Amino acid sequence: CMGLSDVSSDSVRVIPLAGVYLPKTDDLVLCTISFVSGNSWFADMNSCYQGMLLGQDVFGRGSYPTMEEMKARLDKGDLVYARIANSDRMREPLLSIMGENLGKIDSGELVKISPTKIPRLIGKHGSMIQTIEAATNATITVGQNGLVVLKCDNSTSLKKAIEAVKIMDSMLDDTNVEEKIQNILDENN
């Protein structure tokens, strides 16, 4: 098992590299709000780090939303598509939901795959995702932290899209991956 050592004055920890997401600034991630505290939301990012979303990012600079207002906007268990605004290994990465297509996700099927397989799932210039979306009419939101949300009105097509995404995760190498995906998408069931 490969890992990174994180040494501080009072502790040493090893962060495993295989399958664990390490946040980088400007990554787009899917995360679940784990709790609200003060003027911030804290989110599970499928990582050894928790993400932190500031109330001011959502309500505007200089605003001091009440706990009630915070929870009305985003509450524990809500799924959010966010950008990592700032990642510093000393503290929680700062998240932002300012930007196109970012924010709370209200519906869809959540699928978890290894973060290391995400670039392969996206494909060159988004080719793989586009292939799956075109064949199934699904909308696929990909988090670089290994979480993927799929939406589709047709349940058969949705199943196909989910299966295609999961195939990516199970493939140990890239041999015939396009062919396997195409076979799933071509099935008429």
Side-chain angles (χ1 to χ4, degrees), residues 97-118:
I97 58 169
M98 290 296 110
E100 202 180 342
N101 300 327
L102 299 181
K104 185 175 169 181
I105 292 186
D106 290 315
S107 62
E109 289 285 326
L110 184 64
V111 176
K112 189 174 178 176
I113 70 170
S114 168
T116 56
K117 302 286 172 80
I118 290 292

Side-chain angles (χ1 to χ4, degrees), residues 83-104:
R83 183 178 62 82
I84 295 182
N86 190 344
S87 182
D88 160 1
R89 294 219 350 245
M90 294 302 150
R91 58 176 182 259
E92 290 99 351
L94 266 186
L95 300 173
S96 172
I97 58 169
M98 290 296 110
E100 202 180 342
N101 300 327
L102 299 181
K104 185 175 169 181

Side-chain angles (χ1 to χ4, degrees), residues 22 35 44 46 74 83 93 101 118 134 147 152 170 179 186:
L22 296 169
F35 63 95
D44 176 356
N46 192 30
L74 290 171
R83 183 178 62 82
N101 300 327
I118 290 292
L147 297 175
C152 185
S170 64
E179 199 181 310
D186 290 343

